[in-house]
Amino acid sequence: MDHQELRSVYSVLQLIYHRNKNQHIRAKWWKWLAVLKRSASDLPSMKCAAAHAHRQHLINYVIPKCYMAFSSVVADNQFATLGVALLATLARLAKAIGFNQELKAQTRHESRTFATKPCIEDRGERVQRINANAGTSSTARQAKGPTPSTAKTRSKKKSSKHKSTKNAIDDLFSGLL
């Protein structure tokens, strides 16, 4: 790890954080900027064993989450330049802690385990829906047509709509009730 590069990344994150705090503090991605800033500040001062564990946490959890959050800022055209600056700073941090080498090692390990284990896809079971009232499936009920009781209620609704219309406003809101 390059401590000088980590300090430089932290100073950029600190400036972005300080300048944009009032405007973006309620945004969803702001949480990840705060997490990244804290993580970057802690990393240079840690001892060897703790730094390695913290680095693994950054690589496995924080950096991917920050990447997703900052990508949404880039996608929002209003703050695209801020999002690009955040992604560039994240890339500098990832390079400084050796994120690329870690991904290459994980990819090699996953490709070995993937080649040895065949993938079997679960397709599930077909479930037939049964109507609780009639005891028949829904497709059989549709073939028979509507029951006489539903036909009566439909005709009552139609006749009651015409009787209750009083003016144009009532006609507009009659479908809501």
Side-chain angles (χ1 to χ4, degrees):
M1 285 189 292
D2 184 13
H3 292 292
Q4 185 63 28
E5 183 68 17
L6 288 174
R7 286 187 197 103
S8 174
V9 167
Y10 175 71
S11 67
V12 171
L13 287 172
Q14 179 66 26
L15 288 171
I16 291 172
Y17 186 88
H18 179 72
R19 177 164 177 132
N20 296 291
K21 184 177 181 180
N22 290 336
Q23 185 174 4
H24 299 289
I25 197 165
R26 296 192 193 280
K28 290 181 181 180
W29 59 267
W30 188 261
K31 167 189 159 185
W32 292 107
L33 176 61
V35 168
L36 188 65
K37 184 177 80 76
R38 278 191 309 255
S39 299
S41 70
D42 296 341
L43 203 54
S45 63
M46 289 186 170
K47 300 289 184 216
C48 204
H52 181 69
H54 190 66
R55 181 178 164 267
Q56 286 302 115
H57 177 71
L58 277 169
I59 289 171
N60 294 331
Y61 185 70
V62 175
I63 290 177
K65 294 285 187 175
C66 287
Y67 175 76
M68 295 301 295
F70 298 162
S71 295
S72 68
V73 179
V74 173
D76 182 17
N77 288 335
Q78 187 176 6
F79 302 110
T81 54
L82 175 62
V84 170
L86 289 169
L87 284 176
T89 308
L90 182 66
R92 282 181 63 192
L93 177 67
K95 184 179 177 185
I97 64 171
F99 183 74
N100 194 22
Q101 289 85 11
E102 188 72 27
L103 280 181
K104 286 180 183 177
Q106 285 179 359
T107 306
R108 276 189 241 119
H109 182 266
E110 288 173 2
S111 65
R112 288 182 197 148
T113 58
F114 182 71
T116 59
K117 296 180 183 178
C119 181
I120 300 171
E121 185 177 326
D122 183 17
R123 295 186 182 248
E125 297 178 20
R126 181 172 288 184
V127 178
Q128 186 175 12
R129 297 177 191 253
I130 297 175
N131 188 356
N133 294 336
T136 59
S137 67
S138 62
T139 56
R141 185 176 47 85
Q142 289 175 354
K144 291 179 185 176
T147 60
S149 62
T150 57
K152 288 179 185 178
T153 56
R154 287 181 187 162
S155 64
K156 286 181 182 178
K157 286 181 182 177
K158 288 181 182 177
S159 63
S160 64
K161 282 185 180 178
H162 294 292
K163 293 178 185 176
S164 65
T165 56
K166 296 176 183 173
N167 59 24
I169 300 294
D170 289 336
D171 288 339
L172 287 174
F173 294 106
S174 64
L176 297 175
L177 299 176

